[in-house]
């Protein structure tokens, strides 16, 4: 049985690759969730008028790759203490959130967040929100698998963002 998980972690370009290369992950789609505008475009979301966050929707087989494992990967991709965006991407559309589809996912996400908060890894509070999943809107085709399609631009943008420096500092110890 295939389940879905949806995570907001700032720019969705940087949130696809960490998830796609695992057994049990069937599909990772860049898109938008959490806003009030129907069929938002990238420009609507980027300018902040739609209320949506950039997200990745992950279709996975929990018998092979668990929701807990997805959360472990998710936390290592973001700054969970930043309430105003992620790295060089600022604004509501780039904030972090875990969108849950079931009560079980919600409980697992809350326990995972609490475990991270109590770990002592960060000096500031964990501000990543846990929200109920809403309608998912896939992003435009040119955003899908951007790290493959526009490798040079993706690598340059990621290097300039500060994401990898943050990950190294907080997770590669």
């Amino acid at each position: 049985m295939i389940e879905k998980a949806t995570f907001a972690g700032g720019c969705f370009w940087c949130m696809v690759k960490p998830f796609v290369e695992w057994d049990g992950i069937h599909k990772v789609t860049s898109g938008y969730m959490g806003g009030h505008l129907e069929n938002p475009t990238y420009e609507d979301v980027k300018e902040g008028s739609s209320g949506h966050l950039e997200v990745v929707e992950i279709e996975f087989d929990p018998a092979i790759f668990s929701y807990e494992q997805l959360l472990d990967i998710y936390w290592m991709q973001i700054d969970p203490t930043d309430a105003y965006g992620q790295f060089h991407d600022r604004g509501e559309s780039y904030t972090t959130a875990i969108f849950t589809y079931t009560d079980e996912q919600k409980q697992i996400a809350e326990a995972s967040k609490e475990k991270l908060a109590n770990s002592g890894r960060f000096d500031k509070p964990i501000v990543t929100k846990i929200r109920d999943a809403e309608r998912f809107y896939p992003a435009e085709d040119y955003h899908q698998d951007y790290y493959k399609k526009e490798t040079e631009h993706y690598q340059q943008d990621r290097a300039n963002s500060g994401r990898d420096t943050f990950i190294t500092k907080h997770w590669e110890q």
Side-chain angles (χ1 to χ4, degrees):
M1 182 170 75
I2 302 300
E3 292 184 17
K4 290 182 181 179
T6 301
F7 302 128
C11 176
F12 48 36
W13 293 348
C14 292
M15 293 297 295
V16 174
K17 189 175 179 185
F19 293 101
V20 296
E21 298 174 357
W22 298 93
D23 289 340
I25 306 296
H26 292 270
K27 187 176 182 184
V28 181
T29 306
S30 296
Y32 317 111
M33 187 175 277
H36 54 81
L37 182 67
E38 289 214 19
N39 300 311
T41 66
Y42 178 67
E43 293 306 318
D44 294 329
V45 176
K46 187 175 179 178
E47 73 181 21
S49 64
S50 74
H52 290 86
L53 283 75
E54 288 193 13
V55 300
V56 288
E57 180 186 74
I58 302 162
E59 295 178 26
F60 68 104
D61 182 342
I64 298 171
F65 204 87
S66 71
Y67 188 67
E68 291 91 340
Q69 289 173 291
L70 289 173
L71 287 165
D72 289 344
I73 293 171
Y74 171 69
W75 291 122
M76 290 189 278
Q77 306 310 310
I78 64 168
D79 177 353
T81 68
D82 188 344
Y84 303 103
Q86 287 292 286
F87 311 105
H88 71 174
D89 293 312
R90 310 312 298 158
E92 182 182 0
S93 62
Y94 296 111
T95 58
T96 60
I98 299 168
F99 290 94
T100 60
Y101 291 86
T102 65
D103 287 340
E104 181 183 14
Q105 280 190 356
K106 187 174 201 163
Q107 291 171 356
I108 293 168
E110 287 172 349
S112 178
K113 180 178 176 179
E114 185 176 342
K115 180 180 174 186
L116 182 61
N118 293 330
S119 72
R121 189 174 293 274
F122 297 100
D123 296 333
K124 298 185 276 184
I126 306 302
V127 297
T128 299
K129 294 179 179 155
I130 298 172
R131 300 170 55 176
D132 291 336
E134 299 178 36
R135 183 169 176 188
F136 174 76
Y137 295 95
E140 296 81 352
D141 287 343
Y142 70 94
H143 290 296
Q144 305 304 330
D145 296 318
Y146 193 82
Y147 75 99
K148 289 182 191 176
K149 293 177 184 174
E150 297 290 340
T151 304
E152 189 174 315
H153 184 253
Y154 165 78
Q155 289 173 343
Q156 183 180 22
D157 186 68
R158 186 170 175 116
N160 292 336
S161 75
R163 187 182 294 262
D164 291 331
T165 301
F166 181 89
I167 290 170
T168 299
K169 178 181 177 185
H170 291 280
W171 293 100
E172 294 178 9
Q173 301 168 0

